[in-house]
Amino acid sequence: MLDIPQLLSRHARSIEDLLAGEVPPGQIPYISDGVWYQFSSGGKRLRPALCLITCEALRGDPSKAMPFALATEILHNFFLIHDDIEDGDTMRRDRETLWKHLGIPNALNISDFLIAKAYQLLAGCPLPPKVVLLLLRIYSDAFERTVEGQALDINLRGCADVTLETYFRIVQLKTAYYLALTWVGGAVVAGVEEDALEPLWELGRCLGPAFQIRDDIIDMTQGKGRGGEVGCDLREGKPSIFFAYVLDRKKGTDAERRRLVEIVSKPREETTAGDVEWAIAFYRRVGAIEHAEEEARSLIARADSVIETIPLGRDGKEVFRAISRFMIDRNT
Amino acid sequence: MLDIPQLLSRHARSIEDLLAGEVPPGQIPYISDGVWYQFSSGGKRLRPALCLITCEALRGDPSKAMPFALATEILHNFFLIHDDIEDGDTMRRDRETLWKHLGIPNALNISDFLIAKAYQLLAGCPLPPKVVLLLLRIYSDAFERTVEGQALDINLRGCADVTLETYFRIVQLKTAYYLALTWVGGAVVAGVEEDALEPLWELGRCLGPAFQIRDDIIDMTQGKGRGGEVGCDLREGKPSIFFAYVLDRKKGTDAERRRLVEIVSKPREETTAGDVEWAIAFYRRVGAIEHAEEEARSLIARADSVIETIPLGRDGKEVFRAISRFMIDRNT
């Protein structure tokens, strides 16, 4: 089995150096500093590393995958900047978010710079033009789908008639493509043809939602690291699988469901500790957490069978098995 | 001489139809409606038309330039959405701006959709892959430079030690590339090689600033259409050529310059009609408006001589002469 943590740390240094080469700190007035404030806010460069690891495992040249890998890291940061503005989040990993630090105008303009830079990197990939265009297409398609998911997400928060189907649609659009993009890109650079890519996307459609559901569960049980506080998503009114489950399956009484919708719809600062406690207890009582755990397990099982269909020989199956296992362990 | 207004109206319909084909109204929840709210806010599709006109005049096939042309229109709208958020503008052409209409989260997400869509269009241009990559490169470079100009613009408003050099740097970055992009793209689709493009960019570096200065002058003399109100830029603290001239050349007394900086730095809602009147009279008295008119004239003269160096034969010179003349007339 490939040792993913070891591969991650092997690639980390070169990702960092090349990122600094592409977007040199301190060079562009009112942009570079903000870019590096954002980049240094604690990311592990997981996405570019997954791209390089995949490329290498499929006997491609990871140095040729580097521009694409950096572009996935940039897209990730672009989304983080916008998510923080859209959610009004003021803190990320114990630091002020970019918009809180520099104001919305600068945060927005810095994100514009980042996405222009990402596309410069993509357009300059050291590969045959046809391959470069394929990379550009998959990148832009994943970008677009993620944005479509975000549109549903921000507009359906606290919505009283959300279904499980809608929940899965949102989560799939928001997480699947943008995660799978990393290994699909690595595979393309290694020479995998377009018509063999579908199971790799499908793997994203299993693993992305599985990790999101795990994330929902962690928020209910251990807290998401922001000082171990539980129920952050409840406070922010994010559409969780529990909320969708209760409403879709009509769990509890009408009065209980009304109370839940009310709690989820409240502005964050009005949500009390009592509200959060009640909602978590309610979710437990009606089996929402168990249901979520079951869904995550079934998605991971489906991921395993998707991997068996990947038409890339033993090495291909092996790297995706390793990535999938690593991400599941990391997330539990 | 090519009849630009007639060519504009000839291309207008097909631009509109193809834009609607690429981003079909009503199709994507919480995105399409906002996209069309933005698109229908009165733009004349000047940018895509300039691209098609250039391509055709250089004996290229304008239908092959269409995806690039649409991408320039999308970039234009992307910038308008972000400018309005960054400036806190609530109205554009007598309608609410997108962020005012749908909130910043949706406006931002819709702009993300637009830029992903623009790159999908570019990556799918019906041209040899090498040409497509060149189009992608020039588009992303122009995008990046415009953003660099915007960074200076939003951070140097009301700055007391702005120089004329800084003013020109901002205006060149903000206007030149993003305008020239339209005709450079049209030329590339018509088969012009990369090494012949430099004078076309240089034309943008003359005409973009010339039009911006004209715009500054119009704001002082006739008002910018928002009900004919003069001095809007003064209220918003935008770095105009007059402001830079006064400070750079140390016009007026120290006290007068201090008063001007104070007026320009004030939040818009605190700027009085008396402030604006005083500043305009001051600008007139110290020759700032005359100086600006002279600068605009000299940029336009330089544009004329740049056109003579364009290595594209008679047709090439002809189309750029016509575009330049059209834009000057339109702007006076």
Side-chain angles (χ1 to χ4, degrees), chain A residues 28 30-31 78 82 86 105-106 108-109 112-113 116 119-120 129 132-133 136 140-141 143-144 147-148 150-151 155-156, chain B residues 28 30-31 78 82 86 105-106 108-109 112-113 116 119-120 129 132-133 136 140-141 143-144 147-148 150-151 155-156:
Chain A
I28 304 169
Y30 308 105
I31 289 184
F78 175 88
H82 286 201
E86 291 168 19
N106 273 303
L108 192 47
N109 198 57
D112 289 349
F113 174 84
Y119 276 103
Q120 285 176 338
V132 179
L133 287 180
L136 275 154
S140 302
D141 289 351
F143 183 4
E144 190 207 317
V147 171
E148 288 181 15
Q150 179 71 352
N155 288 288
L156 295 177
Chain B
I28 304 167
Y30 308 106
I31 289 182
F78 176 89
H82 286 201
E86 290 167 21
N106 273 304
L108 192 47
N109 199 57
D112 290 349
F113 173 85
Y119 276 104
Q120 286 176 338
V132 179
L133 287 180
L136 276 154
S140 302
D141 289 350
F143 182 3
E144 191 208 316
V147 171
E148 288 180 15
Q150 178 71 352
N155 289 287
L156 295 178

Short mmCIF file of all heavy atoms in Angstrom, two decimals, chain A residues 28 30-31 78 82 86 105-106 108-109 112-113 116 119-120 129 132-133 136 140-141 143-144 147-148 150-151 155-156, chain B residues 28 30-31 78 82 86 105-106 108-109 112-113 116 119-120 129 132-133 136 140-141 143-144 147-148 150-151 155-156:
data_model
loop_
_atom_site.label_atom_id
_atom_site.label_comp_id
_atom_site.label_asym_id
_atom_site.label_seq_id
_atom_site.Cartn_x
_atom_site.Cartn_y
_atom_site.Cartn_z
N ILE A 28 3.53 42.38 -5.73
CA ILE A 28 2.47 43.18 -6.34
C ILE A 28 1.74 43.98 -5.25
O ILE A 28 1.19 43.39 -4.32
CB ILE A 28 1.48 42.28 -7.10
CG1 ILE A 28 2.25 41.46 -8.13
CG2 ILE A 28 0.41 43.11 -7.78
CD1 ILE A 28 1.45 40.36 -8.74
N TYR A 30 -0.59 45.69 -2.75
CA TYR A 30 -1.96 45.46 -2.28
C TYR A 30 -2.54 44.12 -2.73
O TYR A 30 -3.74 43.91 -2.66
CB TYR A 30 -2.90 46.61 -2.67
CG TYR A 30 -2.33 47.95 -2.26
CD1 TYR A 30 -1.79 48.82 -3.22
CD2 TYR A 30 -2.31 48.33 -0.93
CE1 TYR A 30 -1.25 50.03 -2.85
CE2 TYR A 30 -1.77 49.54 -0.54
CZ TYR A 30 -1.24 50.39 -1.51
OH TYR A 30 -0.71 51.59 -1.12
N ILE A 31 -1.69 43.24 -3.22
CA ILE A 31 -2.17 41.91 -3.62
C ILE A 31 -1.31 40.82 -2.96
O ILE A 31 -1.83 39.97 -2.24
CB ILE A 31 -2.19 41.76 -5.16
CG1 ILE A 31 -3.33 42.63 -5.74
CG2 ILE A 31 -2.39 40.29 -5.55
CD1 ILE A 31 -3.54 42.50 -7.23
N PHE A 78 -9.37 30.37 -3.32
CA PHE A 78 -10.38 31.27 -3.91
C PHE A 78 -11.75 30.98 -3.29
O PHE A 78 -12.46 31.87 -2.85
CB PHE A 78 -10.38 31.02 -5.43
CG PHE A 78 -11.43 31.76 -6.22
CD1 PHE A 78 -11.18 33.03 -6.71
CD2 PHE A 78 -12.65 31.17 -6.51
CE1 PHE A 78 -12.13 33.71 -7.46
CE2 PHE A 78 -13.62 31.84 -7.26
CZ PHE A 78 -13.35 33.11 -7.74
N HIS A 82 -14.14 33.36 -0.75
CA HIS A 82 -15.53 33.70 -1.07
C HIS A 82 -16.50 33.11 -0.04
O HIS A 82 -17.46 33.78 0.36
CB HIS A 82 -15.86 33.22 -2.48
CG HIS A 82 -15.25 34.09 -3.54
ND1 HIS A 82 -15.71 34.15 -4.83
CD2 HIS A 82 -14.21 34.96 -3.48
CE1 HIS A 82 -14.98 35.01 -5.52
NE2 HIS A 82 -14.06 35.50 -4.73
N GLU A 86 -19.24 35.16 2.01
CA GLU A 86 -20.65 34.80 1.86
C GLU A 86 -21.28 34.40 3.19
O GLU A 86 -22.44 34.69 3.46
CB GLU A 86 -20.80 33.70 0.81
CG GLU A 86 -20.47 34.23 -0.60
CD GLU A 86 -20.30 33.15 -1.66
OE1 GLU A 86 -20.76 32.01 -1.45
OE2 GLU A 86 -19.68 33.45 -2.70
N PRO A 105 -13.52 44.77 -0.23
CA PRO A 105 -12.97 45.16 -1.54
C PRO A 105 -11.61 44.50 -1.83
O PRO A 105 -11.42 43.93 -2.91
CB PRO A 105 -12.84 46.68 -1.43
CG PRO A 105 -13.93 47.07 -0.48
CD PRO A 105 -13.96 45.96 0.54
N ASN A 106 -10.68 44.56 -0.89
CA ASN A 106 -9.38 43.94 -1.14
C ASN A 106 -9.46 42.42 -1.21
O ASN A 106 -8.79 41.80 -2.04
CB ASN A 106 -8.36 44.38 -0.09
CG ASN A 106 -7.69 45.68 -0.48
OD1 ASN A 106 -7.09 45.78 -1.54
ND2 ASN A 106 -7.82 46.70 0.36
N LEU A 108 -11.87 40.61 -2.20
CA LEU A 108 -12.48 40.25 -3.48
C LEU A 108 -11.47 40.43 -4.61
O LEU A 108 -11.30 39.55 -5.47
CB LEU A 108 -13.69 41.19 -3.68
CG LEU A 108 -14.66 40.88 -4.77
CD1 LEU A 108 -15.04 39.42 -4.74
CD2 LEU A 108 -15.91 41.74 -4.58
N ASN A 109 -10.77 41.54 -4.60
CA ASN A 109 -9.81 41.81 -5.66
C ASN A 109 -8.65 40.80 -5.63
O ASN A 109 -8.16 40.37 -6.67
CB ASN A 109 -9.30 43.24 -5.53
CG ASN A 109 -8.66 43.73 -6.81
OD1 ASN A 109 -9.28 43.73 -7.87
ND2 ASN A 109 -7.39 44.12 -6.72
N ASP A 112 -9.76 37.70 -7.21
CA ASP A 112 -9.75 37.85 -8.67
C ASP A 112 -8.35 37.61 -9.22
O ASP A 112 -8.16 36.94 -10.23
CB ASP A 112 -10.20 39.26 -9.08
CG ASP A 112 -11.68 39.49 -8.84
OD1 ASP A 112 -12.40 38.51 -8.55
OD2 ASP A 112 -12.13 40.65 -8.92
N PHE A 113 -7.38 38.18 -8.53
CA PHE A 113 -6.00 37.95 -8.94
C PHE A 113 -5.68 36.45 -8.93
O PHE A 113 -5.07 35.93 -9.87
CB PHE A 113 -5.04 38.68 -7.97
CG PHE A 113 -3.60 38.37 -8.24
CD1 PHE A 113 -2.89 39.05 -9.20
CD2 PHE A 113 -2.96 37.35 -7.54
CE1 PHE A 113 -1.56 38.75 -9.46
CE2 PHE A 113 -1.63 37.03 -7.79
CZ PHE A 113 -0.93 37.73 -8.76
N ALA A 116 -7.19 34.56 -11.90
CA ALA A 116 -6.48 34.87 -13.15
C ALA A 116 -5.14 34.11 -13.17
O ALA A 116 -4.75 33.53 -14.18
CB ALA A 116 -6.24 36.37 -13.27
N TYR A 119 -5.48 30.39 -13.97
CA TYR A 119 -5.65 30.11 -15.40
C TYR A 119 -4.38 30.39 -16.19
O TYR A 119 -4.13 29.75 -17.21
CB TYR A 119 -6.85 30.88 -15.95
CG TYR A 119 -8.15 30.13 -15.69
CD1 TYR A 119 -9.02 30.50 -14.69
CD2 TYR A 119 -8.46 29.01 -16.45
CE1 TYR A 119 -10.20 29.79 -14.46
CE2 TYR A 119 -9.63 28.29 -16.24
CZ TYR A 119 -10.49 28.69 -15.23
OH TYR A 119 -11.65 27.98 -15.01
N GLN A 120 -3.55 31.32 -15.74
CA GLN A 120 -2.25 31.48 -16.38
C GLN A 120 -1.42 30.22 -16.21
O GLN A 120 -0.77 29.76 -17.15
CB GLN A 120 -1.50 32.67 -15.76
CG GLN A 120 -2.04 34.02 -16.18
CD GLN A 120 -1.34 35.16 -15.48
OE1 GLN A 120 -0.75 34.98 -14.42
NE2 GLN A 120 -1.42 36.35 -16.05
N PRO A 129 -0.67 20.83 -26.41
CA PRO A 129 -1.82 21.73 -26.32
C PRO A 129 -3.16 21.02 -26.12
O PRO A 129 -4.01 21.50 -25.38
CB PRO A 129 -1.78 22.47 -27.66
CG PRO A 129 -0.34 22.49 -28.03
CD PRO A 129 0.23 21.20 -27.52
N VAL A 132 -3.45 20.18 -22.52
CA VAL A 132 -3.66 21.40 -21.74
C VAL A 132 -5.12 21.82 -21.82
O VAL A 132 -5.74 22.20 -20.82
CB VAL A 132 -2.74 22.53 -22.23
CG1 VAL A 132 -2.98 23.80 -21.42
CG2 VAL A 132 -1.27 22.13 -22.14
N LEU A 133 -5.69 21.75 -23.02
CA LEU A 133 -7.09 22.15 -23.17
C LEU A 133 -8.03 21.23 -22.40
O LEU A 133 -9.02 21.67 -21.84
CB LEU A 133 -7.48 22.19 -24.65
CG LEU A 133 -6.89 23.38 -25.42
CD1 LEU A 133 -7.34 23.34 -26.89
CD2 LEU A 133 -7.31 24.70 -24.78
N LEU A 136 -7.84 22.35 -18.87
CA LEU A 136 -8.61 23.58 -18.70
C LEU A 136 -10.10 23.30 -18.64
O LEU A 136 -10.83 23.93 -17.89
CB LEU A 136 -8.32 24.52 -19.87
CG LEU A 136 -7.07 25.37 -19.68
CD1 LEU A 136 -6.47 25.78 -21.01
CD2 LEU A 136 -7.42 26.63 -18.89
N SER A 140 -12.44 24.02 -15.36
CA SER A 140 -13.54 24.98 -15.44
C SER A 140 -14.88 24.32 -15.16
O SER A 140 -15.77 24.92 -14.55
CB SER A 140 -13.57 25.64 -16.82
OG SER A 140 -12.34 26.28 -17.07
N ASP A 141 -15.03 23.06 -15.60
CA ASP A 141 -16.29 22.35 -15.32
C ASP A 141 -16.45 22.10 -13.82
O ASP A 141 -17.53 22.29 -13.26
CB ASP A 141 -16.34 21.02 -16.08
CG ASP A 141 -16.53 21.23 -17.58
OD1 ASP A 141 -16.79 22.38 -18.00
OD2 ASP A 141 -16.39 20.25 -18.33
N PHE A 143 -15.07 23.79 -11.44
CA PHE A 143 -15.29 25.13 -10.88
C PHE A 143 -16.78 25.48 -10.99
O PHE A 143 -17.44 25.83 -10.00
CB PHE A 143 -14.41 26.10 -11.69
CG PHE A 143 -14.39 27.55 -11.28
CD1 PHE A 143 -15.09 28.03 -10.17
CD2 PHE A 143 -13.66 28.47 -12.03
CE1 PHE A 143 -15.05 29.38 -9.82
CE2 PHE A 143 -13.61 29.82 -11.69
CZ PHE A 143 -14.32 30.27 -10.60
N GLU A 144 -17.33 25.34 -12.18
CA GLU A 144 -18.72 25.72 -12.40
C GLU A 144 -19.67 24.90 -11.52
O GLU A 144 -20.58 25.44 -10.90
CB GLU A 144 -19.10 25.53 -13.87
CG GLU A 144 -20.46 26.15 -14.17
CD GLU A 144 -21.20 25.50 -15.32
OE1 GLU A 144 -20.59 25.19 -16.35
OE2 GLU A 144 -22.42 25.28 -15.16
N VAL A 147 -19.73 25.99 -7.93
CA VAL A 147 -20.47 27.25 -7.78
C VAL A 147 -21.98 27.00 -7.82
O VAL A 147 -22.74 27.62 -7.08
CB VAL A 147 -20.03 28.24 -8.88
CG1 VAL A 147 -20.92 29.46 -8.89
CG2 VAL A 147 -18.57 28.64 -8.70
N GLU A 148 -22.41 26.07 -8.66
CA GLU A 148 -23.84 25.73 -8.71
C GLU A 148 -24.29 25.15 -7.36
O GLU A 148 -25.39 25.43 -6.89
CB GLU A 148 -24.13 24.74 -9.84
CG GLU A 148 -24.03 25.38 -11.21
CD GLU A 148 -24.34 24.41 -12.35
OE1 GLU A 148 -24.90 23.32 -12.09
OE2 GLU A 148 -24.02 24.74 -13.50
N GLN A 150 -22.89 25.78 -4.47
CA GLN A 150 -22.86 26.89 -3.52
C GLN A 150 -24.14 27.74 -3.65
O GLN A 150 -24.67 28.21 -2.64
CB GLN A 150 -21.61 27.74 -3.77
CG GLN A 150 -21.45 28.96 -2.88
CD GLN A 150 -21.11 28.61 -1.43
OE1 GLN A 150 -21.13 27.45 -1.02
NE2 GLN A 150 -20.83 29.62 -0.64
N ALA A 151 -24.64 27.89 -4.87
CA ALA A 151 -25.86 28.67 -5.08
C ALA A 151 -27.03 28.03 -4.33
O ALA A 151 -27.82 28.71 -3.67
CB ALA A 151 -26.18 28.78 -6.57
N ASN A 155 -28.79 29.53 -0.66
CA ASN A 155 -30.19 29.95 -0.78
C ASN A 155 -31.18 29.02 -0.10
O ASN A 155 -32.36 29.36 0.03
CB ASN A 155 -30.55 30.12 -2.25
CG ASN A 155 -29.89 31.36 -2.84
OD1 ASN A 155 -30.29 32.49 -2.53
ND2 ASN A 155 -28.85 31.16 -3.64
N LEU A 156 -30.73 27.84 0.30
CA LEU A 156 -31.67 26.90 0.91
C LEU A 156 -31.42 26.71 2.40
O LEU A 156 -31.97 25.80 3.00
CB LEU A 156 -31.61 25.55 0.17
CG LEU A 156 -32.08 25.60 -1.29
CD1 LEU A 156 -31.92 24.25 -1.96
CD2 LEU A 156 -33.53 26.06 -1.39
N ILE B 28 -30.38 27.54 -14.31
CA ILE B 28 -29.62 27.12 -13.12
C ILE B 28 -30.16 27.87 -11.91
O ILE B 28 -30.12 29.10 -11.87
CB ILE B 28 -28.12 27.39 -13.31
CG1 ILE B 28 -27.63 26.67 -14.57
CG2 ILE B 28 -27.33 26.92 -12.09
CD1 ILE B 28 -26.27 27.10 -15.01
N TYR B 30 -30.90 29.93 -8.78
CA TYR B 30 -30.19 30.98 -8.03
C TYR B 30 -28.96 31.53 -8.75
O TYR B 30 -28.14 32.18 -8.15
CB TYR B 30 -29.81 30.49 -6.62
CG TYR B 30 -30.99 29.92 -5.88
CD1 TYR B 30 -31.12 28.54 -5.68
CD2 TYR B 30 -32.01 30.75 -5.42
CE1 TYR B 30 -32.23 28.01 -5.03
CE2 TYR B 30 -33.12 30.23 -4.77
CZ TYR B 30 -33.22 28.86 -4.59
OH TYR B 30 -34.32 28.34 -3.95
N ILE B 31 -28.85 31.22 -10.03
CA ILE B 31 -27.74 31.78 -10.81
C ILE B 31 -28.25 32.46 -12.08
O ILE B 31 -28.01 33.64 -12.30
CB ILE B 31 -26.68 30.69 -11.14
CG1 ILE B 31 -25.93 30.30 -9.85
CG2 ILE B 31 -25.69 31.19 -12.19
CD1 ILE B 31 -24.82 29.30 -10.02
N PHE B 78 -18.36 40.65 -15.09
CA PHE B 78 -17.69 40.18 -13.87
C PHE B 78 -17.05 41.37 -13.14
O PHE B 78 -17.25 41.56 -11.94
CB PHE B 78 -16.64 39.14 -14.28
CG PHE B 78 -15.78 38.61 -13.17
CD1 PHE B 78 -16.16 37.51 -12.43
CD2 PHE B 78 -14.54 39.19 -12.89
CE1 PHE B 78 -15.34 36.99 -11.43
CE2 PHE B 78 -13.72 38.69 -11.90
CZ PHE B 78 -14.12 37.58 -11.16
N HIS B 82 -18.07 43.16 -9.45
CA HIS B 82 -17.10 43.33 -8.37
C HIS B 82 -16.86 44.80 -8.05
O HIS B 82 -16.76 45.18 -6.88
CB HIS B 82 -15.79 42.62 -8.72
CG HIS B 82 -15.91 41.12 -8.60
ND1 HIS B 82 -14.84 40.29 -8.46
CD2 HIS B 82 -17.00 40.32 -8.57
CE1 HIS B 82 -15.26 39.04 -8.36
NE2 HIS B 82 -16.56 39.03 -8.44
N GLU B 86 -17.20 46.52 -4.49
CA GLU B 86 -16.03 47.18 -3.89
C GLU B 86 -16.28 48.66 -3.61
O GLU B 86 -15.80 49.19 -2.61
CB GLU B 86 -14.81 46.97 -4.80
CG GLU B 86 -14.36 45.51 -4.79
CD GLU B 86 -13.37 45.14 -5.89
OE1 GLU B 86 -12.71 46.05 -6.44
OE2 GLU B 86 -13.25 43.94 -6.21
N PRO B 105 -23.60 37.73 -1.04
CA PRO B 105 -23.29 36.30 -1.26
C PRO B 105 -23.73 35.83 -2.65
O PRO B 105 -22.95 35.20 -3.37
CB PRO B 105 -24.07 35.59 -0.15
CG PRO B 105 -24.11 36.59 0.96
CD PRO B 105 -24.27 37.92 0.28
N ASN B 106 -24.95 36.15 -3.05
CA ASN B 106 -25.39 35.70 -4.37
C ASN B 106 -24.67 36.42 -5.50
O ASN B 106 -24.33 35.80 -6.51
CB ASN B 106 -26.91 35.87 -4.51
CG ASN B 106 -27.66 34.65 -3.99
OD1 ASN B 106 -27.42 33.53 -4.43
ND2 ASN B 106 -28.53 34.85 -3.02
N LEU B 108 -21.70 37.56 -5.53
CA LEU B 108 -20.35 37.01 -5.60
C LEU B 108 -20.38 35.63 -6.27
O LEU B 108 -19.57 35.32 -7.16
CB LEU B 108 -19.83 36.91 -4.17
CG LEU B 108 -18.37 36.63 -3.96
CD1 LEU B 108 -17.54 37.51 -4.85
CD2 LEU B 108 -18.02 36.87 -2.49
N ASN B 109 -21.32 34.81 -5.86
CA ASN B 109 -21.40 33.46 -6.41
C ASN B 109 -21.76 33.49 -7.89
O ASN B 109 -21.24 32.70 -8.69
CB ASN B 109 -22.42 32.65 -5.61
CG ASN B 109 -22.25 31.17 -5.80
OD1 ASN B 109 -21.18 30.62 -5.54
ND2 ASN B 109 -23.29 30.50 -6.29
N ASP B 112 -18.73 34.25 -9.80
CA ASP B 112 -17.89 33.05 -9.91
C ASP B 112 -18.37 32.17 -11.05
O ASP B 112 -17.57 31.63 -11.83
CB ASP B 112 -17.92 32.23 -8.61
CG ASP B 112 -17.21 32.93 -7.47
OD1 ASP B 112 -16.52 33.93 -7.72
OD2 ASP B 112 -17.34 32.48 -6.32
N PHE B 113 -19.67 32.01 -11.13
CA PHE B 113 -20.24 31.23 -12.23
C PHE B 113 -19.81 31.84 -13.57
O PHE B 113 -19.40 31.12 -14.49
CB PHE B 113 -21.77 31.21 -12.12
CG PHE B 113 -22.43 30.57 -13.31
CD1 PHE B 113 -22.59 29.19 -13.36
CD2 PHE B 113 -22.86 31.34 -14.38
CE1 PHE B 113 -23.18 28.59 -14.47
CE2 PHE B 113 -23.45 30.75 -15.49
CZ PHE B 113 -23.61 29.38 -15.53
N ALA B 116 -16.16 31.12 -14.52
CA ALA B 116 -15.99 29.71 -14.91
C ALA B 116 -16.54 29.51 -16.33
O ALA B 116 -15.93 28.85 -17.17
CB ALA B 116 -16.70 28.79 -13.91
N TYR B 119 -14.26 30.84 -19.08
CA TYR B 119 -13.14 29.95 -19.39
C TYR B 119 -13.60 28.68 -20.10
O TYR B 119 -12.85 28.11 -20.90
CB TYR B 119 -12.32 29.67 -18.14
CG TYR B 119 -11.31 30.77 -17.88
CD1 TYR B 119 -11.52 31.72 -16.88
CD2 TYR B 119 -10.16 30.88 -18.65
CE1 TYR B 119 -10.59 32.74 -16.65
CE2 TYR B 119 -9.24 31.89 -18.44
CZ TYR B 119 -9.45 32.82 -17.44
OH TYR B 119 -8.54 33.82 -17.24
N GLN B 120 -14.81 28.24 -19.83
CA GLN B 120 -15.34 27.11 -20.62
C GLN B 120 -15.45 27.51 -22.08
O GLN B 120 -15.11 26.74 -22.98
CB GLN B 120 -16.72 26.69 -20.09
CG GLN B 120 -16.66 25.95 -18.77
CD GLN B 120 -18.05 25.64 -18.22
OE1 GLN B 120 -19.03 26.31 -18.58
NE2 GLN B 120 -18.14 24.66 -17.35
N PRO B 129 -5.63 23.97 -31.24
CA PRO B 129 -5.31 24.08 -29.81
C PRO B 129 -4.26 25.13 -29.47
O PRO B 129 -4.39 25.82 -28.46
CB PRO B 129 -4.81 22.67 -29.46
CG PRO B 129 -5.54 21.77 -30.40
CD PRO B 129 -5.69 22.56 -31.68
N VAL B 132 -5.96 28.43 -29.41
CA VAL B 132 -6.84 28.52 -28.24
C VAL B 132 -6.00 28.86 -27.00
O VAL B 132 -6.39 29.70 -26.18
CB VAL B 132 -7.61 27.21 -28.02
CG1 VAL B 132 -8.50 27.32 -26.79
CG2 VAL B 132 -8.45 26.87 -29.25
N LEU B 133 -4.85 28.22 -26.90
CA LEU B 133 -3.99 28.50 -25.72
C LEU B 133 -3.47 29.93 -25.73
O LEU B 133 -3.37 30.56 -24.68
CB LEU B 133 -2.82 27.50 -25.66
CG LEU B 133 -3.22 26.09 -25.23
CD1 LEU B 133 -1.99 25.19 -25.20
CD2 LEU B 133 -3.90 26.10 -23.87
N LEU B 136 -6.28 32.01 -24.48
CA LEU B 136 -6.40 31.85 -23.03
C LEU B 136 -5.34 32.66 -22.30
O LEU B 136 -5.59 33.24 -21.25
CB LEU B 136 -6.26 30.37 -22.66
CG LEU B 136 -7.55 29.58 -22.78
CD1 LEU B 136 -7.27 28.12 -23.03
CD2 LEU B 136 -8.37 29.73 -21.49
N SER B 140 -6.14 35.81 -19.81
CA SER B 140 -5.77 35.73 -18.39
C SER B 140 -4.78 36.84 -18.01
O SER B 140 -4.85 37.38 -16.90
CB SER B 140 -5.17 34.36 -18.07
OG SER B 140 -6.09 33.35 -18.38
N ASP B 141 -3.88 37.18 -18.94
CA ASP B 141 -2.93 38.26 -18.65
C ASP B 141 -3.66 39.60 -18.52
O ASP B 141 -3.36 40.39 -17.63
CB ASP B 141 -1.86 38.35 -19.75
CG ASP B 141 -0.90 37.16 -19.70
OD1 ASP B 141 -0.96 36.39 -18.72
OD2 ASP B 141 -0.10 37.01 -20.64
N PHE B 143 -6.76 40.03 -17.75
CA PHE B 143 -7.53 39.88 -16.51
C PHE B 143 -6.64 40.25 -15.33
O PHE B 143 -6.97 41.10 -14.49
CB PHE B 143 -8.01 38.42 -16.45
CG PHE B 143 -8.88 38.03 -15.29
CD1 PHE B 143 -9.32 38.93 -14.33
CD2 PHE B 143 -9.30 36.69 -15.16
CE1 PHE B 143 -10.14 38.53 -13.27
CE2 PHE B 143 -10.11 36.29 -14.11
CZ PHE B 143 -10.52 37.21 -13.16
N GLU B 144 -5.47 39.64 -15.27
CA GLU B 144 -4.58 39.88 -14.13
C GLU B 144 -4.16 41.35 -14.03
O GLU B 144 -4.18 41.93 -12.95
CB GLU B 144 -3.32 39.00 -14.25
CG GLU B 144 -2.50 39.02 -12.97
CD GLU B 144 -1.03 38.78 -13.19
OE1 GLU B 144 -0.67 37.87 -13.95
OE2 GLU B 144 -0.22 39.51 -12.57
N VAL B 147 -6.82 43.59 -12.64
CA VAL B 147 -6.96 43.39 -11.20
C VAL B 147 -5.83 44.11 -10.44
O VAL B 147 -6.06 44.70 -9.38
CB VAL B 147 -6.97 41.88 -10.87
CG1 VAL B 147 -6.89 41.65 -9.38
CG2 VAL B 147 -8.22 41.22 -11.45
N GLU B 148 -4.63 44.10 -11.01
CA GLU B 148 -3.52 44.83 -10.38
C GLU B 148 -3.81 46.33 -10.34
O GLU B 148 -3.51 47.01 -9.36
CB GLU B 148 -2.20 44.56 -11.12
CG GLU B 148 -1.68 43.16 -10.88
CD GLU B 148 -0.36 42.89 -11.61
OE1 GLU B 148 0.29 43.85 -12.06
OE2 GLU B 148 -0.01 41.70 -11.75
N GLN B 150 -6.81 47.65 -10.31
CA GLN B 150 -7.89 47.83 -9.34
C GLN B 150 -7.33 47.86 -7.91
O GLN B 150 -7.81 48.62 -7.06
CB GLN B 150 -8.92 46.69 -9.52
CG GLN B 150 -10.09 46.71 -8.55
CD GLN B 150 -11.07 47.85 -8.81
OE1 GLN B 150 -10.83 48.74 -9.62
NE2 GLN B 150 -12.17 47.83 -8.09
N ALA B 151 -6.31 47.04 -7.66
CA ALA B 151 -5.69 47.02 -6.32
C ALA B 151 -5.12 48.39 -5.98
O ALA B 151 -5.31 48.91 -4.87
CB ALA B 151 -4.59 45.96 -6.26
N ASN B 155 -6.89 51.20 -3.18
CA ASN B 155 -6.07 51.48 -2.00
C ASN B 155 -5.45 52.87 -1.99
O ASN B 155 -4.91 53.30 -0.97
CB ASN B 155 -4.98 50.43 -1.85
CG ASN B 155 -5.57 49.10 -1.42
OD1 ASN B 155 -5.97 48.96 -0.27
ND2 ASN B 155 -5.67 48.15 -2.34
N LEU B 156 -5.51 53.58 -3.12
CA LEU B 156 -4.87 54.89 -3.17
C LEU B 156 -5.89 56.03 -3.25
O LEU B 156 -5.52 57.17 -3.52
CB LEU B 156 -3.89 54.96 -4.34
CG LEU B 156 -2.70 53.99 -4.23
CD1 LEU B 156 -1.82 54.08 -5.46
CD2 LEU B 156 -1.86 54.29 -2.97
#
